[in-house]
Amino acid sequence: MNGEWLWLGIGFLGQALFSGRFIVQWLASERAKRSIVPKAFWFLSIGGGATLLAYAIYRRDPVFIAGQGAGLFIYARNLILIRRESREVRNKKKVSPPSS
């Protein structure tokens, strides 16, 4: 196995991770009977985006590099916002007086 085949495998792995996020999102939405974007969607986005970015860097494709690099920022930001919201919900539960 030479380096070209290895990088081709990395590219396909990244694409599989990236595509898997849509299946996760679709199944979660079907179960809830409304549009849902679960945390797993964002983790798969980061995994697939980082892997595809590595592949794009190897291929020296500036368009692909710019697209995946910008996407990684957005995916990470969404996870930060989700974590912040979860923390705020937990803090409200701790502060709320017990129900009578």
Side-chain angles (χ1 to χ4, degrees), residues 7-40:
W7 279 106
L8 192 60
I10 289 171
F12 277 116
L13 172 64
Q15 192 58 53
L17 287 169
F18 205 66
S19 296
R21 67 197 185 126
F22 291 111
I23 295 168
V24 167
Q25 190 274 330
W26 172 52
L27 293 174
S29 294
E30 288 295 330
R31 275 190 222 113
K33 304 283 191 239
R34 64 185 180 91
S35 183
I36 299 284
V37 181
K39 277 197 268 185

Side-chain angles (χ1 to χ4, degrees), residues 52-65:
L52 287 172
L53 178 61
Y55 180 72
I57 290 168
Y58 168 75
R59 302 293 291 178
R60 296 187 174 114
D61 184 328
V63 174
F64 200 12
I65 290 168

Side-chain angles (χ1 to χ4, degrees), residues 55-88:
Y55 180 72
I57 290 168
Y58 168 75
R59 302 293 291 178
R60 296 187 174 114
D61 184 328
V63 174
F64 200 12
I65 290 168
Q68 292 304 318
L72 286 173
F73 171 78
I74 294 165
Y75 311 144
R77 181 66 180 144
N78 274 284
L79 284 170
I80 290 166
L81 293 171
I82 290 167
R83 177 188 279 169
R84 182 181 297 159
E85 182 180 9
S86 295
R87 206 177 286 148
E88 288 172 1

